[in-house]
Amino acid sequence: MTTPLLEVEDLRVAYGKIEAVKGISFTVAEGTVTTLIGTNGAGKTTTLRTLSGLLRPTTGRITFDGHALGSVPAHRIVALGLAHSPEGRHIFPRMTIEENLLLGAFLRKDPGITEDVERAYTLFPILGERRKQAAGTLSGGEQQMLAMGRALMSRPKLLMLDEPSMGLSPLMMQKIMATIVELRSGGTTILLVEQNAQAALSLSDQGYVMQTGRIVLSGTGRELLNDESVRKSYLGED
Ligand code: ATP
């Protein structure tokens, strides 16, 4: 078996006395889409924020592309190739769409930035059409595209997406999911956190189910889609 791009071992994360992540272990293989599903408060966002260096683990090991990340600062983690498109998008509404994209390349000094802005416009044509407009004028789905486009501007090896379909119309959600598949075909590895378990597991190579800070189940996307407890708890079946 090849070494995974990301390996998380016995990770624990606490907010003061409250332990939100209680010793989880999982891997993300290169070139795959891996999904974390789980109910509200399960610890998915906390996990992603820890991986990108915004929170510090109490214990555990995170190895990304051969680097131990435990105490690496967030900007260095981006430079190593791990990008995060956060829950709630966090775009800058008064800046233009193009300025928002360029912020995603702030650590880069190479000449390929303009080319990558154009690549984002190819991926999401609406962003190109409105490049000079304030980002706050975009719809929710378009803002999600911008957040993904911005994260891609660091040319990540691993792109983490936190709830990319939240609040989107079914059509827009389909577009975002199709883009995830397209990115994987282009060689980007993706770690996805999603409430929409059906859509996420359908396209995932691997999935993990989190419950109150622990991973309680794992399997391929298809295995989890067929699992009775997953169907009951996350796919709305009786
Ligand atoms: P959601 O889908 O609702 O975002 P989640 O699985 O991403 O859920 P987290 O946001 O990681 O879950 O939250 C895990 C636990 O940590 C919850 O009990 C939450 O209340 C708690 N928590 C999250 N952020 C903080 C914080 N800043 N301070 C204290 N507790 C927090």
Side-chain angles (χ1 to χ4, degrees), residues 15 18-21 38-47 87 162-163 193 195 210:
Y15 298 99
I18 302 164
E19 192 169 53
V21 173
T39 45
N40 286 338
K44 307 177 299 294
T45 296
T46 302
T47 301
E87 187 175 17
D162 197 348
E163 307 269 8
V193 160
Q195 289 284 340
M210 282 189 79

Side-chain angles (χ1 to χ4, degrees), residues 145-164:
M145 293 174 185
L146 180 56
M148 284 173 75
R150 184 181 56 190
L152 287 168
M153 287 299 296
S154 63
R155 289 206 180 170
K157 293 181 184 129
L158 175 63
L159 173 64
M160 300 195 295
L161 300 171
D162 197 348
E163 307 269 8

Side-chain angles (χ1 to χ4, degrees), residues 37-93:
I37 62 168
T39 45
N40 286 338
K44 307 177 299 294
T45 296
T46 302
T47 301
L48 294 197
R49 288 176 60 79
T50 307
L51 294 175
S52 57
L54 301 171
L55 294 169
R56 290 290 161 215
T58 33
T59 59
R61 265 208 303 267
I62 304 167
T63 312
F64 172 67
D65 200 22
H67 303 271
L69 293 192
S71 56
V72 178
H75 69 278
R76 284 284 311 143
I77 291 177
V78 176
L80 288 173
L82 204 167
H84 187 175
S85 176
E87 187 175 17
R89 295 147 204 161
H90 298 282
I91 60 144
F92 295 93

Side-chain angles (χ1 to χ4, degrees), residues 188-219:
T188 307
T189 306
I190 291 164
L191 177 57
L192 177 64
V193 160
E194 252 305 328
Q195 289 284 340
N196 190 325
Q198 174 78 46
L201 291 175
S202 302
L203 59 79
S204 292
D205 300 284
Q206 183 70 22
Y208 296 89
V209 180
M210 282 189 79
Q211 218 171 47
T212 54
R214 294 191 169 85
I215 288 175
V216 294
L217 196 63
S218 68

